[in-house]
PDB file of all heavy atoms in Angstrom:
ATOM      1  N   ILE A 541     -21.574  22.060   1.045  1.00 69.00           N
ATOM      2  CA  ILE A 541     -20.603  21.297   0.242  1.00 69.00           C
ATOM      3  C   ILE A 541     -21.250  20.862  -1.074  1.00 69.00           C
ATOM      4  O   ILE A 541     -20.606  20.260  -1.880  1.00 69.00           O
ATOM      5  CB  ILE A 541     -20.067  19.951   1.084  1.00 69.00           C
ATOM      6  CG1 ILE A 541     -21.314  19.161   1.435  1.00 69.00           C
ATOM      7  CG2 ILE A 541     -19.196  20.490   2.235  1.00 69.00           C
ATOM      8  CD1 ILE A 541     -20.762  17.667   1.780  1.00 69.00           C
ATOM      9  N   LEU A 542     -22.534  21.137  -1.206  1.00 75.00           N
ATOM     10  CA  LEU A 542     -23.319  20.701  -2.332  1.00 75.00           C
ATOM     11  C   LEU A 542     -23.037  21.574  -3.506  1.00 75.00           C
ATOM     12  O   LEU A 542     -22.555  22.700  -3.444  1.00 75.00           O
ATOM     13  CB  LEU A 542     -24.664  20.731  -2.051  1.00 75.00           C
ATOM     14  CG  LEU A 542     -25.163  19.818  -0.795  1.00 75.00           C
ATOM     15  CD1 LEU A 542     -26.632  19.894  -0.539  1.00 75.00           C
ATOM     16  CD2 LEU A 542     -24.739  18.269  -1.122  1.00 75.00           C
ATOM     17  N   ALA A 543     -23.437  21.049  -4.732  1.00 75.00           N
ATOM     18  CA  ALA A 543     -23.253  21.902  -5.898  1.00 75.00           C
ATOM     19  C   ALA A 543     -24.485  21.663  -6.808  1.00 75.00           C
ATOM     20  O   ALA A 543     -25.321  20.804  -6.549  1.00 75.00           O
ATOM     21  CB  ALA A 543     -21.996  21.385  -6.584  1.00 75.00           C
ATOM     22  N   ASN A 544     -24.603  22.453  -7.812  1.00 80.00           N
ATOM     23  CA  ASN A 544     -25.504  22.269  -8.879  1.00 80.00           C
ATOM     24  C   ASN A 544     -26.966  22.238  -8.406  1.00 80.00           C
ATOM     25  O   ASN A 544     -27.374  22.912  -7.453  1.00 80.00           O
ATOM     26  CB  ASN A 544     -25.215  21.222  -9.843  1.00 80.00           C
ATOM     27  CG  ASN A 544     -23.830  21.268 -10.367  1.00 80.00           C
ATOM     28  OD1 ASN A 544     -23.332  22.387 -10.522  1.00 80.00           O
ATOM     29  ND2 ASN A 544     -23.157  20.198 -10.541  1.00 80.00           N
ATOM     30  N   GLU A 545     -27.649  21.100  -8.805  1.00 85.00           N
ATOM     31  CA  GLU A 545     -29.105  20.892  -8.531  1.00 85.00           C
ATOM     32  C   GLU A 545     -29.366  20.742  -7.090  1.00 85.00           C
ATOM     33  O   GLU A 545     -30.366  21.232  -6.471  1.00 85.00           O
ATOM     34  CB  GLU A 545     -29.659  19.647  -9.238  1.00 85.00           C
ATOM     35  CG  GLU A 545     -29.828  19.783 -10.704  1.00 85.00           C
ATOM     36  CD  GLU A 545     -30.468  18.485 -11.174  1.00 85.00           C
ATOM     37  OE1 GLU A 545     -29.831  17.460 -11.164  1.00 85.00           O
ATOM     38  OE2 GLU A 545     -31.599  18.531 -11.612  1.00 85.00           O
ATOM     39  N   GLU A 546     -28.453  19.975  -6.373  1.00 86.00           N
ATOM     40  CA  GLU A 546     -28.742  19.829  -5.023  1.00 86.00           C
ATOM     41  C   GLU A 546     -28.501  20.972  -4.178  1.00 86.00           C
ATOM     42  O   GLU A 546     -29.387  21.298  -3.217  1.00 86.00           O
ATOM     43  CB  GLU A 546     -27.664  18.801  -4.487  1.00 86.00           C
ATOM     44  CG  GLU A 546     -27.954  17.396  -4.772  1.00 86.00           C
ATOM     45  CD  GLU A 546     -26.853  16.260  -4.443  1.00 86.00           C
ATOM     46  OE1 GLU A 546     -25.599  16.730  -4.599  1.00 86.00           O
ATOM     47  OE2 GLU A 546     -27.133  15.293  -4.020  1.00 86.00           O
ATOM     48  N   LEU A 547     -27.634  21.909  -4.514  1.00 87.00           N
ATOM     49  CA  LEU A 547     -27.400  23.125  -3.911  1.00 87.00           C
ATOM     50  C   LEU A 547     -28.608  24.014  -4.113  1.00 87.00           C
ATOM     51  O   LEU A 547     -29.229  24.570  -3.163  1.00 87.00           O
ATOM     52  CB  LEU A 547     -26.224  23.786  -4.441  1.00 87.00           C
ATOM     53  CG  LEU A 547     -25.878  25.289  -3.711  1.00 87.00           C
ATOM     54  CD1 LEU A 547     -25.660  25.075  -2.333  1.00 87.00           C
ATOM     55  CD2 LEU A 547     -24.706  25.810  -4.483  1.00 87.00           C
ATOM     56  N   ALA A 548     -28.992  24.050  -5.365  1.00 90.00           N
ATOM     57  CA  ALA A 548     -30.311  24.834  -5.581  1.00 90.00           C
ATOM     58  C   ALA A 548     -31.493  24.317  -4.744  1.00 90.00           C
ATOM     59  O   ALA A 548     -32.263  25.204  -4.250  1.00 90.00           O
ATOM     60  CB  ALA A 548     -30.680  24.755  -7.143  1.00 90.00           C
ATOM     61  N   PHE A 549     -31.706  23.095  -4.610  1.00 92.00           N
ATOM     62  CA  PHE A 549     -32.769  22.545  -3.893  1.00 92.00           C
ATOM     63  C   PHE A 549     -32.626  22.938  -2.411  1.00 92.00           C
ATOM     64  O   PHE A 549     -33.609  23.479  -1.766  1.00 92.00           O
ATOM     65  CB  PHE A 549     -32.666  20.959  -3.967  1.00 92.00           C
ATOM     66  CG  PHE A 549     -33.723  20.210  -3.161  1.00 92.00           C
ATOM     67  CD1 PHE A 549     -35.025  20.054  -3.766  1.00 92.00           C
ATOM     68  CD2 PHE A 549     -33.335  19.709  -1.860  1.00 92.00           C
ATOM     69  CE1 PHE A 549     -35.898  19.375  -2.863  1.00 92.00           C
ATOM     70  CE2 PHE A 549     -34.234  19.040  -1.150  1.00 92.00           C
ATOM     71  CZ  PHE A 549     -35.631  18.838  -1.591  1.00 92.00           C
ATOM     72  N   VAL A 550     -31.332  22.766  -1.828  1.00 90.00           N
ATOM     73  CA  VAL A 550     -31.209  23.140  -0.436  1.00 90.00           C
ATOM     74  C   VAL A 550     -31.361  24.766  -0.300  1.00 90.00           C
ATOM     75  O   VAL A 550     -31.910  25.110   0.669  1.00 90.00           O
ATOM     76  CB  VAL A 550     -29.748  22.799  -0.016  1.00 90.00           C
ATOM     77  CG1 VAL A 550     -29.197  23.538   1.160  1.00 90.00           C
ATOM     78  CG2 VAL A 550     -29.712  21.170   0.219  1.00 90.00           C
ATOM     79  N   GLN A 551     -30.966  25.409  -1.172  1.00 90.00           N
ATOM     80  CA  GLN A 551     -31.160  26.926  -1.084  1.00 90.00           C
ATOM     81  C   GLN A 551     -32.692  27.275  -1.126  1.00 90.00           C
ATOM     82  O   GLN A 551     -33.202  27.983  -0.170  1.00 90.00           O
ATOM     83  CB  GLN A 551     -30.596  27.624  -2.299  1.00 90.00           C
ATOM     84  CG  GLN A 551     -29.011  27.740  -2.163  1.00 90.00           C
ATOM     85  CD  GLN A 551     -28.277  28.249  -3.382  1.00 90.00           C
ATOM     86  OE1 GLN A 551     -28.876  28.133  -4.475  1.00 90.00           O
ATOM     87  NE2 GLN A 551     -27.220  28.828  -3.247  1.00 90.00           N
ATOM     88  N   LYS A 552     -33.477  26.583  -1.981  1.00 90.00           N
ATOM     89  CA  LYS A 552     -34.905  26.852  -2.020  1.00 90.00           C
ATOM     90  C   LYS A 552     -35.543  26.459  -0.696  1.00 90.00           C
ATOM     91  O   LYS A 552     -36.414  27.067  -0.155  1.00 90.00           O
ATOM     92  CB  LYS A 552     -35.453  25.966  -3.194  1.00 90.00           C
ATOM     93  CG  LYS A 552     -36.224  26.748  -4.222  1.00 90.00           C
ATOM     94  CD  LYS A 552     -36.495  25.832  -5.301  1.00 90.00           C
ATOM     95  CE  LYS A 552     -37.862  26.007  -6.069  1.00 90.00           C
ATOM     96  NZ  LYS A 552     -37.954  25.172  -7.141  1.00 90.00           N
ATOM     97  N   LEU A 553     -35.165  25.101  -0.180  1.00 90.00           N
ATOM     98  CA  LEU A 553     -35.856  24.693   1.061  1.00 90.00           C
ATOM     99  C   LEU A 553     -35.371  25.578   2.227  1.00 90.00           C
ATOM    100  O   LEU A 553     -36.319  25.801   3.067  1.00 90.00           O
ATOM    101  CB  LEU A 553     -35.242  23.310   1.238  1.00 90.00           C
ATOM    102  CG  LEU A 553     -36.170  22.326   2.073  1.00 90.00           C
ATOM    103  CD1 LEU A 553     -37.488  22.093   1.526  1.00 90.00           C
ATOM    104  CD2 LEU A 553     -35.393  21.017   2.201  1.00 90.00           C
ATOM    105  N   SER A 554     -34.259  26.138   2.126  1.00 88.00           N
ATOM    106  CA  SER A 554     -33.872  26.860   3.345  1.00 88.00           C
ATOM    107  C   SER A 554     -34.583  28.331   3.307  1.00 88.00           C
ATOM    108  O   SER A 554     -34.696  28.948   4.296  1.00 88.00           O
ATOM    109  CB  SER A 554     -32.321  27.015   3.500  1.00 88.00           C
ATOM    110  OG  SER A 554     -32.027  28.291   2.993  1.00 88.00           O
ATOM    111  N   ALA A 555     -35.066  28.582   2.116  1.00 87.00           N
ATOM    112  CA  ALA A 555     -35.705  29.927   2.046  1.00 87.00           C
ATOM    113  C   ALA A 555     -37.154  29.760   2.302  1.00 87.00           C
ATOM    114  O   ALA A 555     -37.981  30.753   2.343  1.00 87.00           O
ATOM    115  CB  ALA A 555     -35.610  30.506   0.631  1.00 87.00           C
ATOM    116  N   THR A 556     -37.728  28.529   2.554  1.00 85.00           N
ATOM    117  CA  THR A 556     -39.153  28.286   2.856  1.00 85.00           C
ATOM    118  C   THR A 556     -39.339  28.731   4.224  1.00 85.00           C
ATOM    119  O   THR A 556     -38.461  29.007   4.997  1.00 85.00           O
ATOM    120  CB  THR A 556     -39.619  26.891   2.608  1.00 85.00           C
ATOM    121  OG1 THR A 556     -38.781  26.025   3.571  1.00 85.00           O
ATOM    122  CG2 THR A 556     -39.373  26.381   1.241  1.00 85.00           C
ATOM    123  N   ALA A 557     -40.671  28.673   4.646  1.00 82.00           N
ATOM    124  CA  ALA A 557     -41.055  29.131   6.101  1.00 82.00           C
ATOM    125  C   ALA A 557     -40.865  27.987   7.010  1.00 82.00           C
ATOM    126  O   ALA A 557     -41.096  28.170   8.230  1.00 82.00           O
ATOM    127  CB  ALA A 557     -42.503  29.539   6.098  1.00 82.00           C
ATOM    128  N   LEU A 558     -40.335  26.866   6.515  1.00 86.00           N
ATOM    129  CA  LEU A 558     -40.110  25.641   7.519  1.00 86.00           C
ATOM    130  C   LEU A 558     -39.188  26.181   8.558  1.00 86.00           C
ATOM    131  O   LEU A 558     -38.014  26.598   8.274  1.00 86.00           O
ATOM    132  CB  LEU A 558     -39.511  24.540   6.812  1.00 86.00           C
ATOM    133  CG  LEU A 558     -40.319  23.462   6.109  1.00 86.00           C
ATOM    134  CD1 LEU A 558     -39.488  22.517   5.531  1.00 86.00           C
ATOM    135  CD2 LEU A 558     -41.255  22.942   7.081  1.00 86.00           C
ATOM    136  N   SER A 559     -39.637  26.011   9.856  1.00 86.00           N
ATOM    137  CA  SER A 559     -38.697  26.525  11.061  1.00 86.00           C
ATOM    138  C   SER A 559     -37.643  25.495  11.281  1.00 86.00           C
ATOM    139  O   SER A 559     -37.790  24.297  10.757  1.00 86.00           O
ATOM    140  CB  SER A 559     -39.651  26.580  12.155  1.00 86.00           C
ATOM    141  OG  SER A 559     -40.037  25.354  12.697  1.00 86.00           O
ATOM    142  N   PHE A 560     -36.687  25.871  12.041  1.00 88.00           N
ATOM    143  CA  PHE A 560     -35.577  25.050  12.365  1.00 88.00           C
ATOM    144  C   PHE A 560     -36.089  23.763  13.094  1.00 88.00           C
ATOM    145  O   PHE A 560     -35.688  22.725  12.692  1.00 88.00           O
ATOM    146  CB  PHE A 560     -34.603  25.816  13.266  1.00 88.00           C
ATOM    147  CG  PHE A 560     -33.634  24.912  14.005  1.00 88.00           C
ATOM    148  CD1 PHE A 560     -32.414  24.630  13.154  1.00 88.00           C
ATOM    149  CD2 PHE A 560     -33.767  24.496  15.337  1.00 88.00           C
ATOM    150  CE1 PHE A 560     -31.456  23.664  13.703  1.00 88.00           C
ATOM    151  CE2 PHE A 560     -32.825  23.680  15.796  1.00 88.00           C
ATOM    152  CZ  PHE A 560     -31.685  23.363  15.131  1.00 88.00           C
ATOM    153  N   GLU A 561     -37.039  24.031  13.972  1.00 88.00           N
ATOM    154  CA  GLU A 561     -37.628  22.787  14.739  1.00 88.00           C
ATOM    155  C   GLU A 561     -38.408  21.876  13.775  1.00 88.00           C
ATOM    156  O   GLU A 561     -38.301  20.727  13.955  1.00 88.00           O
ATOM    157  CB  GLU A 561     -38.624  23.453  15.862  1.00 88.00           C
ATOM    158  CG  GLU A 561     -38.024  24.098  17.072  1.00 88.00           C
ATOM    159  CD  GLU A 561     -37.532  25.427  16.651  1.00 88.00           C
ATOM    160  OE1 GLU A 561     -38.019  26.063  15.676  1.00 88.00           O
ATOM    161  OE2 GLU A 561     -36.734  26.028  17.508  1.00 88.00           O
ATOM    162  N   ALA A 562     -39.155  22.436  12.962  1.00 89.00           N
ATOM    163  CA  ALA A 562     -39.749  21.704  11.920  1.00 89.00           C
ATOM    164  C   ALA A 562     -38.829  20.667  11.179  1.00 89.00           C
ATOM    165  O   ALA A 562     -39.029  19.520  10.991  1.00 89.00           O
ATOM    166  CB  ALA A 562     -40.635  22.514  10.945  1.00 89.00           C
ATOM    167  N   ILE A 563     -37.695  21.360  10.631  1.00 92.00           N
ATOM    168  CA  ILE A 563     -36.777  20.443   9.910  1.00 92.00           C
ATOM    169  C   ILE A 563     -36.172  19.515  10.823  1.00 92.00           C
ATOM    170  O   ILE A 563     -36.019  18.329  10.506  1.00 92.00           O
ATOM    171  CB  ILE A 563     -35.746  21.530   9.237  1.00 92.00           C
ATOM    172  CG1 ILE A 563     -36.293  22.523   8.412  1.00 92.00           C
ATOM    173  CG2 ILE A 563     -34.617  20.587   8.610  1.00 92.00           C
ATOM    174  CD1 ILE A 563     -35.284  23.467   7.718  1.00 92.00           C
ATOM    175  N   GLN A 564     -35.865  19.891  12.090  1.00 92.00           N
ATOM    176  CA  GLN A 564     -35.198  18.946  13.029  1.00 92.00           C
ATOM    177  C   GLN A 564     -36.204  17.821  13.192  1.00 92.00           C
ATOM    178  O   GLN A 564     -35.734  16.731  13.237  1.00 92.00           O
ATOM    179  CB  GLN A 564     -35.070  19.745  14.345  1.00 92.00           C
ATOM    180  CG  GLN A 564     -34.090  19.224  15.213  1.00 92.00           C
ATOM    181  CD  GLN A 564     -32.563  19.174  14.642  1.00 92.00           C
ATOM    182  OE1 GLN A 564     -32.290  20.245  14.073  1.00 92.00           O
ATOM    183  NE2 GLN A 564     -31.887  18.180  14.877  1.00 92.00           N
ATOM    184  N   SER A 565     -37.416  18.107  13.371  1.00 90.00           N
ATOM    185  CA  SER A 565     -38.469  17.029  13.617  1.00 90.00           C
ATOM    186  C   SER A 565     -38.614  16.073  12.415  1.00 90.00           C
ATOM    187  O   SER A 565     -38.879  14.839  12.434  1.00 90.00           O
ATOM    188  CB  SER A 565     -39.764  17.524  14.287  1.00 90.00           C
ATOM    189  OG  SER A 565     -40.734  17.525  13.278  1.00 90.00           O
ATOM    190  N   LEU A 566     -38.418  16.723  11.188  1.00 93.00           N
ATOM    191  CA  LEU A 566     -38.653  15.944   9.958  1.00 93.00           C
ATOM    192  C   LEU A 566     -37.262  14.899  10.005  1.00 93.00           C
ATOM    193  O   LEU A 566     -37.546  13.817   9.676  1.00 93.00           O
ATOM    194  CB  LEU A 566     -38.441  16.761   8.797  1.00 93.00           C
ATOM    195  CG  LEU A 566     -39.642  17.672   8.329  1.00 93.00           C
ATOM    196  CD1 LEU A 566     -39.299  18.440   7.068  1.00 93.00           C
ATOM    197  CD2 LEU A 566     -40.879  16.797   8.191  1.00 93.00           C
TER     198      LEU A 566
END
Side-chain angles (χ1 to χ4, degrees):
I541 57 160
L542 300 172
N544 308 330
E545 281 186 299
E546 282 173 322
L547 179 62
F549 176 84
V550 159
Q551 280 169 337
K552 232 167 145 184
L553 202 58
S554 106
T556 61
L558 271 183
S559 67
F560 171 79
E561 288 76 18
I563 300 179
Q564 203 64 39
S565 101
L566 289 182

